Amino acid sequence: MRLDKLIERQLQTSRKQMKRLFLMGKVQVDGETVYQENKNVDSSIHTIQVDNQTLLTDDRYYLLNKPSGVVTANQDRLPTVFNQLRVEDRRVDLSAVGRLDRDTEGLLLLTSNGQLGYDLLQPKKKVTKVYEAIINAEVTAEDVTLFGEGITFHGGESCQPAKLEILSRKLEESYVRLTIREGKYHQVKKMFLATGKKVIYLRRVAMGPLTLGELPTGTYRPLTQEELLQLKPYFR
Ligand code: URA
């Protein structure tokens, strides 16, 4: 969470008192004096000391293996990604980092750390997203080249170069892995549509340093300490 909010909340300071603590050099993160009031911190990966007191955050980070049929929305008539959480893990401040289509499965990060979520989605951060997909046709070496050069959607919008790997293929169906660094609406489906092919199954298996691993579909788990440490560069 933001350092200024943490100080105000935990030390019960006024905004002015909080600002004074920064000005006086009393705020340290990982042993270094910081002056950036909106710095994003988490006490499981940062040592936060203010006026010699150690402050603790309580943000949550859940890695969900989203099943098909579930929507990435706060509220809907259909089951949502938040309904997948046990009641004791539901918090009003949780949000999804990006969205997966209703019929897409796979890795979705749910967190109460809105700043981290926002930063992971910034195009300039170029966070990789890896998808595995079944395509309704034979994906060819030519497609690999086209994706590598940058696909242009029907309608003219262009995508950055993407890495397409063919895992197996037959005339009527292919299994592929696609790595992209953007998050356009329906991006993967539209990329294949641009080559005249249709995605018939889609699953996200990785986002940045996070991977789905063997997490069963429809289940979730908190991020490990190691995973949070891997996300540390995104805490700005
Ligand atoms: N691209 C898509 O087309 N759909 C998703 O759910 C994610 C990426």
Side-chain angles (χ1 to χ4, degrees):
M1 77 177 294
R2 281 171 61 134
L3 207 38
D4 51 0
K5 300 284 170 222
L6 177 66
I7 293 171
E8 282 173 8
R9 198 161 83 182
Q10 231 170 77
L11 299 183
Q12 303 199 330
T13 67
S14 65
R15 186 123 194 102
K16 206 164 149 189
Q17 288 167 326
M18 175 275 293
K19 283 183 176 288
R20 197 172 306 131
L21 286 167
F22 274 97
L23 279 176
M24 290 165 64
K26 299 266 189 193
V27 183
Q28 266 106 37
V29 175
D30 294 339
E32 302 225 339
T33 303
V34 292
Y35 298 94
Q36 184 198 338
E37 293 173 12
N38 68 355
K39 183 168 172 52
N40 192 8
V41 287
D42 192 290
S43 54
S44 49
I45 51 168
H46 298 100
T47 305
I48 310 157
Q49 287 191 301
V50 179
D51 215 4
N52 296 322
Q53 294 182 68
T54 302
L55 304 196
L56 300 176
T57 57
D58 70 344
D59 274 319
R60 298 284 188 274
Y61 309 84
Y62 296 120
L63 197 144
L64 169 71
N65 186 347
K66 177 191 169 301
S68 176
V70 164
V71 292
T72 314
N74 289 327
Q75 276 190 330
D76 202 274
R77 60 191 168 81
L78 294 167
T80 74
V81 291
F82 300 102
N83 298 151
Q84 309 302 299
L85 303 181
R86 286 181 288 276
V87 174
E88 63 268 28
D89 289 334
R90 291 182 198 169
R91 277 177 34 163
V92 284
D93 57 355
L94 282 175
S95 52
V97 180
R99 65 180 297 284
L100 293 177
D101 296 337
R102 182 160 49 136
D103 58 353
T104 301
E105 295 185 354
L107 188 155
L108 189 67
L109 178 62
L110 305 178
T111 180
S112 59
N113 190 325
Q115 184 67 55
L116 178 71
Y118 176 84
D119 286 334
L120 286 170
L121 295 176
Q122 287 311 295
K124 64 170 188 271
K125 295 276 157 78
K126 297 190 186 296
V127 174
T128 53
K129 288 118 198 159
V130 185
Y131 293 89
E132 288 177 359
I134 300 175
I135 310 299
N136 75 336
E138 185 177 18
V139 174
T140 62
E142 196 190 344
D143 293 322
V144 173
T145 308
L146 286 174
F147 275 68
E149 286 167 351
I151 289 285
T152 302
F153 292 157
H154 293 312
E157 192 181 355
S158 48
C159 302
Q160 287 164 16
K163 183 176 169 197
L164 176 61
E165 297 162 88
I166 302 168
L167 302 178
S168 69
R169 66 174 162 176
K170 291 185 277 186
L171 264 182
E172 70 284 9
E173 199 172 279
S174 307
Y175 186 42
V176 300
R177 185 184 298 128
L178 178 66
T179 305
I180 58 177
R181 288 166 188 275
E182 325 164 83
K184 296 185 194 297
Y185 188 56
H186 294 327
Q187 177 152 357
V188 178
K189 291 174 185 165
K190 283 159 125 185
M191 287 171 101
F192 280 98
L193 270 184
T195 63
K197 297 177 176 114
K198 195 165 181 268
V199 172
I200 50 181
Y201 170 80
L202 185 60
R203 177 167 92 117
R204 181 154 69 188
V205 295
M207 184 174 123
L210 307 177
T211 55
L212 200 53
E214 298 303 311
L215 187 67
T217 309
T219 67
Y220 68 100
R221 61 169 178 79
L223 291 191
T224 62
Q225 161 85 7
E226 198 184 339
E227 286 169 324
L228 269 179
L229 275 172
Q230 288 168 341
L231 287 176
K232 200 170 177 180
Y234 299 99
F235 281 74
R236 67 169 166 105

